[in-house]
Amino acid sequence: MGLDFRRSPGCLMSSMYAEKLSNYILRRFIWANVQFTVVQWFNDFYPQGKTSIPSRFNVPGKIAWAVMETPGFVCLLYCMFTIPATQGIEKLPAANWLMAALFSIHYIYRAIISPLFLNPSMSPIHPFILISAFSFQVINGTCIAGHLAGYGASTQEDWAGATIRIQVGLLIFLAGFIGNMWHDDELREIRRVAARKQKQKAKVQGEKGKEGKVDKVYEVPENGLFRLVLYPHFFCEWIEWCGFWVIGGWGCVPARNFVINEMTTMIPRALSGKRWYIQRFGKEKIGSRRAVIPGLI
């Protein structure tokens, strides 16, 4: 099939060609991620967060996080407002905009609100992580956008009979999103408490310039799902995106691939993190907690 430059000047391809190409790019990216995941199972190298390493190339954590997590929803919104016209679509179904809104809300929280306004501190992030996450966001965001903006379900008929599925998926998404934010805040509270103590100590000792600095402080959280697993915020995020996939339906391949991609990447990170917790706090402190899935992993 040749390229239809007149029909899709923004994408430089016809809708059918774009769908095949986007799925191919995503599948190829998934396999690349799985191969990297295989390395992660045997190597704890992950220069970010608790396992951040000293490097002259490190980027300040808050800035790096915002930069690497923002492209996904920016690409999605751009495509949502540009692709439909190139495909002769006057108005996208409300369900398409619902999914776009949920995706954007999650990443506005994750990429902007959380690091820049809520987190007391963040460890430096190595450029390797920044570039990898940035690339994933661009590919993932554009693939999901392609499906929602005209290359997937693009008419009301495509969503016929899906009302209950959308409602169930939305409830699952919201449960995961709320759980993700709540457990994130439990981790922040550890830093907030430490910041208050450090500020008070600096004030008492008269150490100017140290009031605004928050030293690295790590503890084993005890509330919510932290009683069962060490990374419940990962688990809740998977619930979110499973709900997102339910809304889109089985045929929403980019949403399905997103869930698979997240899990195959984050499971070894959680297992590595559990080893870090055990090394730092000891097996007795960690107890019977799993890494990320209650009772399983």
Side-chain angles (χ1 to χ4, degrees):
M1 177 176 293
L3 301 183
D4 187 351
F5 295 97
R6 293 172 298 177
R7 184 180 179 189
S8 302
C11 298
L12 301 182
M13 56 188 70
S14 69
S15 61
M16 185 178 296
Y17 183 81
E19 177 65 14
K20 289 183 177 179
L21 180 59
S22 66
N23 285 339
Y24 167 73
I25 292 174
L26 189 57
R27 285 196 300 270
R28 184 176 65 182
F29 183 75
I30 286 174
W31 280 114
N33 236 6
V34 169
Q35 291 167 6
F36 176 69
T37 297
V38 170
V39 175
Q40 285 185 294
W41 286 95
F42 303 100
N43 189 344
D44 290 339
F45 176 76
Y46 199 85
Q48 172 193 323
K50 289 184 287 292
T51 53
S52 179
I53 61 173
S55 173
R56 62 186 297 182
F57 302 110
N58 278 349
V59 181
K62 293 186 177 185
I63 295 174
W65 192 269
V67 169
M68 71 189 197
E69 293 289 319
T70 297
F73 79 88
V74 171
C75 289
L76 180 137
L77 291 176
Y78 174 79
C79 291
M80 291 295 290
F81 284 103
T82 57
I83 289 179
T86 70
Q87 302 305 305
I89 300 172
E90 294 184 2
K91 185 178 180 180
L92 288 169
N96 294 52
W97 285 107
L98 171 64
M99 293 185 69
L102 294 177
F103 186 92
S104 299
I105 288 170
H106 170 90
Y107 278 106
I108 289 173
Y109 160 74
R110 182 177 174 85
I112 299 175
I113 297 175
S114 178
L116 301 182
F117 298 99
L118 297 180
N119 291 353
S121 64
M122 293 186 72
S123 298
I125 295 176
H126 194 277
F128 171 74
I129 299 296
L130 192 158
I131 294 171
S132 297
F134 185 96
S135 302
F136 169 77
Q137 286 294 332
V138 171
I139 295 173
N140 188 57
T142 52
C143 285
I144 289 177
H147 186 89
L148 296 179
Y151 302 145
S154 58
T155 66
Q156 294 295 345
E157 289 73 19
D158 292 328
W159 293 96
T163 301
I164 295 178
R165 188 189 78 214
I166 292 172
Q167 293 173 344
V168 170
L170 180 59
L171 289 175
I172 295 172
F173 181 93
L174 292 176
F177 185 46
I178 292 171
N180 180 258
M181 289 193 297
W182 191 89
H183 289 96
D184 274 351
D185 201 61
E186 283 295 301
L187 294 174
R188 292 190 199 102
E189 184 60 19
I190 294 174
R191 295 290 177 90
R192 287 195 290 258
V193 171
R196 289 193 292 267
K197 291 180 179 179
Q198 291 172 21
K199 183 177 180 180
Q200 184 63 28
K201 181 180 178 181
K203 184 176 181 181
V204 170
Q205 296 179 351
E207 297 177 357
K208 296 182 179 181
K210 291 189 176 183
E211 292 88 346
K213 181 181 178 182
V214 182
D215 296 329
K216 287 185 179 181
V217 176
Y218 296 110
E219 297 179 8
V220 180
E222 301 289 345
N223 298 323
L225 290 178
F226 280 112
R227 296 187 182 97
L228 303 176
V229 294
L230 294 167
Y231 289 84
H233 45 311
F234 285 13
F235 180 65
C236 289
E237 185 168 336
W238 301 342
I239 292 175
E240 264 189 88
W241 297 122
C242 284
F244 187 79
W245 178 19
V246 169
I247 295 173
W250 183 260
C252 188
V253 175
R256 183 180 69 201
N257 287 346
F258 186 21
V259 173
I260 295 171
N261 220 338
E262 280 228 326
M263 294 185 69
T264 57
T265 302
M266 294 164 76
I267 286 175
R269 283 174 55 192
L271 293 173
S272 173
K274 183 178 180 179
R275 291 191 289 270
W276 181 92
Y277 270 107
I278 291 174
Q279 183 179 15
R280 188 177 184 92
F281 299 102
K283 290 185 178 180
E284 291 186 3
K285 179 67 175 178
I286 303 305
S288 61
R289 289 180 179 87
R290 301 290 185 174
V292 64
I293 300 179
L296 292 177
I297 300 176

